[in-house]
Amino acid sequence: MERQNEIDGTGMTDEEKRRDQLTSAPDAVESDADPRIDVTHRDGVTRIDIRDDADVRPGDPTREPDE
């Protein structure tokens, strides 16, 4: 189910469209498009993990994860 390398009617892959969208905002920098998640597929199960090096993470930024 890997779609990131498929080209659609725009002539861009999903990854190219993502990068284009994230870097086209005013004051955007190339690192804004860095990956934030890892997706793995194994035995019919899809797992999505937030990368340890992601600058932006879900949750309350004022609290520690274990609070």
Side-chain angles (χ1 to χ4, degrees):
M1 188 170 209
E2 185 90 14
R3 282 192 31 116
Q4 67 183 358
N5 293 324
E6 291 182 20
I7 297 176
D8 64 8
T10 65
M12 299 171 74
T13 64
D14 287 346
E15 182 59 31
E16 289 169 332
K17 288 188 284 188
R18 177 186 176 278
R19 180 167 295 284
D20 185 59
Q21 184 177 21
L22 292 171
T23 58
S24 63
D27 300 322
V29 294
E30 187 66 26
S31 64
D32 291 343
D34 288 348
R36 297 183 182 121
I37 62 172
D38 288 322
V39 180
T40 54
H41 306 278
R42 192 168 92 193
D43 300 327
V45 175
T46 300
R47 180 180 171 121
I48 301 172
D49 293 300
I50 306 299
R51 293 174 55 108
D52 291 336
D53 60 351
D55 288 335
V56 179
R57 302 180 66 80
D60 184 346
T62 63
R63 295 180 57 192
E64 290 296 318
D66 294 328
E67 287 185 19

